[in-house]
Amino acid sequence: MSNRKSDVEVFDVAVVGGGASGCATAYNLAMAGASVVVLERHDLNTEASGRNAGSLHGQIQHEPFLEEGEEWARAWIPALRFLADSLEIWDGLSDELGTDLEVAKRGGILVADDPAQLPAIERKVAIENSAGIDSRMLSASEIRELAPWLTTDAVGGELCPIEGKANPLLVAPAFAQRATDRGAVLRAGSPVEGFREEGGLHYLRTPRGEVAARTVVLAGGDGMPALARHFGIDLPISSGAVQVSVTERMEPMVSHLVYYAGGKLTFKQAKAGTLLIGGGWPARQNAAGEWVVNPESLRANLAMAVRIAPSIADISLLRTWVGIGNGTPDHSPIIGAVPGRPRVILGFYPYMGFTAAPLMGRVLTDLVLERDPGRDLTPFAPDRF
Ligand SMILES: Cc1cc2nc3c(=O)[nH]c(=O)nc-3n(C[C@H](O)[C@H](O)[C@H](O)COP(=O)(O)OP(=O)(O)OC[C@H]3O[C@@H](n4cnc5c(N)ncnc54)[C@H](O)[C@@H]3O)c2cc1C
């Protein structure tokens, strides 16, 4: 329950951002008995959390591994462990939230179709194993046994059994529903445009008026740099529009999350039977400056998918959409209080924040409630850049 200070509602915590991270945080806080308001500038789950490809990642991504190298990968292990620990929460999340989130964790396969791709995968697997991640190399016959639909050009690859998929349209709304069941207040259409501090309270200004809270959690995704700037902190969060496509329904064929070692490609078959095809191909801007589907990216993305899974060539594409993906220079999350402002807490996981959201919600809740989050957050410090 909130109370009032003159005509302003006062909450224990104001969460800015109604994506998966913000809603998971509101849920955990409400379960712990805190009074919570979520302020979302659009509608819930309308940005990255509702537009992503639904992959549940648990391995070092091959593309940054090739680009950034082994030293980067070793330094990135705390962020990898964060994903792995979040993946464990995903196992029981549908039951916990009382909604079928279409979670299936049948593993991820990274497919190589050129023997020259294998040594890098082997080095990557060694680093994953050193971090306690369950992954292993697959021979050509093993990978084709797991995925008989694969191109006969497949020469082997990697299996990471902890990976999978979930339905991004369902996750943030399910967290939000359970949060409101426990008394949290959700305010859509409430862009936070300013902050002030008075008498130990933070006042958040929106066009619909102010709300006050003892603690502020910023879980604003693409809006994080602008939000953090109000507190004098510059976050080097990059922003790039990428696209994802969905096909018509097919007979069950692909049970794994599939990656390709030769380029930007991920795909998986959703519970509905549709194939979600992505991999981070860039969208383009139209004359009005809006992000729209880039047909060249689409062609290249689909050609790659057909190369790996030749039998999908005749399947129709239903829709391609664009979402804004966000990164950090070291690919690690930003988690912790704004320096000098212990009651303003930041939560942002780059590139794979859908996978990370269940744990992000718990860790941010621990920080708000001054509980031990059970992990070293130093590698994620907001002032490390
Ligand atoms: C196309 C695409 C595919 C992806 N695929 C995957 C994938 O398969 N697996 C995976 O793990 N990750 C994937 N990601 C990344 C993942 O979607 C994001 O990392 C994750 O959703 C981030 O969640 P969030 O809640 O932190 O941010 P968001 O979902 O962006 O939510 C932040 C919210 O804050 C709101 N907000 C911002 N500023 C303000 C303000 N001033 N006032 C009020 N509200 C504000 C925004 O409107 C937004 O709703 C993908 C991303 C994209 C774009």
Side-chain angles (χ1 to χ4, degrees):
M1 283 287 283
S2 66
N3 54 39
R4 301 191 81 84
K5 188 145 182 144
S6 64
D7 58 350
V8 176
E9 265 183 290
V10 181
F11 296 85
D12 294 329
V13 190
V15 177
V16 184
S21 307
C23 292
T25 307
Y27 160 72
N28 283 286
L29 284 166
M31 292 300 285
S35 68
V36 188
V37 62
V38 178
L39 299 169
E40 164 54 51
R41 61 184 169 188
H42 306 305
D43 276 329
L44 288 185
N45 208 34
T46 45
E47 295 212 351
S49 296
R51 290 164 180 263
N52 68 65
S55 308
L56 298 181
H57 300 287
Q59 62 178 283
I60 300 168
Q61 297 301 289
H62 193 56
E63 199 183 344
F65 182 71
L66 295 179
E67 282 170 7
E68 312 277 348
E70 287 181 48
E71 205 178 315
W72 164 78
R74 284 200 192 85
W76 191 71
I77 283 175
L80 178 62
R81 288 288 346 154
F82 198 95
L83 292 181
D85 293 346
S86 197
L87 282 168
E88 285 190 15
I89 303 176
W90 279 100
D91 287 334
L93 202 56
S94 294
D95 286 342
E96 184 179 339
L97 299 181
T99 302
D100 178 8
L101 304 172
E102 301 179 8
V103 179
K105 284 172 51 186
R106 302 202 189 96
I109 51 173
L110 170 61
V111 181
D113 63 353
D114 180 342
Q117 294 160 350
L118 294 172
I121 302 178
E122 215 158 326
R123 290 196 299 276
K124 189 171 86 70
V125 166
I127 296 174
E128 288 160 0
N129 293 169
S130 76
I133 300 295
D134 181 11
S135 64
R136 66 180 175 89
M137 294 299 288
L138 294 171
S139 67
S141 59
E142 284 172 328
I143 203 163
R144 290 204 15 100
E145 200 174 311
L146 285 178
W149 45 265
L150 263 181
T151 168
T152 49
D153 292 341
V155 295
E158 172 181 354
L159 171 69
C160 181
I162 60 176
E163 297 191 303
K165 61 195 172 189
N167 186 336
L169 297 176
L170 303 175
V171 175
F175 275 122
Q177 179 62 53
R178 292 306 304 271
T180 51
D181 291 348
R182 296 294 292 229
V185 174
L186 304 185
R187 296 245 167 96
S190 298
V192 175
E193 297 171 342
F195 297 85
R196 65 185 176 89
E197 225 180 320
E198 196 185 308
L201 288 177
H202 297 273
Y203 289 81
L204 294 84
R205 178 164 46 82
T206 80
R208 300 170 62 185
E210 279 190 321
V211 299
R214 278 168 269 282
T215 306
V216 175
V217 173
L218 302 181
D222 190 47
M224 286 298 268
L227 287 164
R229 232 170 275 130
H230 290 287
F231 299 96
I233 178 164
D234 260 328
L235 297 179
I237 292 177
S238 59
S239 194
V242 290
Q243 49 196 52
V244 183
S245 299
V246 63
T247 69
E248 63 181 330
R249 288 165 194 245
M250 314 178 331
E251 289 300 311
M253 180 179 109
V254 180
S255 50
H256 298 90
L257 164 61
V258 182
Y259 307 90
Y260 173 44
K264 289 176 183 297
L265 176 68
T266 62
F267 61 88
K268 70 205 65 87
Q269 192 165 13
K271 190 179 178 189
T274 55
L275 209 58
L276 280 158
I277 304 174
W281 286 85
R284 69 174 181 88
Q285 257 173 323
N286 65 14
E290 298 153 338
W291 290 107
V292 293
V293 171
N294 178 339
E296 282 167 33
S297 285
L298 180 58
R299 266 193 295 273
N301 193 187
L302 297 183
M304 212 173 258
V306 170
R307 179 166 160 185
I308 293 304
S311 63
I312 66 170
D314 296 332
I315 300 292
S316 298
L317 198 70
L318 285 187
R319 192 163 76 88
T320 302
W321 65 91
V322 175
I324 308 294
N326 298 104
T328 54
D330 56 8
H331 295 246
S332 282
I334 298 172
I335 305 174
V338 169
R341 309 292 280 270
R343 302 313 306 167
V344 181
I345 293 163
L346 308 171
F348 171 83
Y349 197 105
Y351 304 111
M352 294 178 279
F354 179 63
T355 308
L359 182 59
M360 182 67 83
R362 290 194 186 179
V363 167
L364 294 177
T365 296
D366 288 336
L367 294 181
V368 170
L369 301 179
E370 298 180 39
R371 299 191 303 216
D372 176 7
R375 57 200 320 118
D376 178 16
L377 297 177
T378 324
F380 312 146
D383 59 357
R384 71 181 182 278
F385 301 104

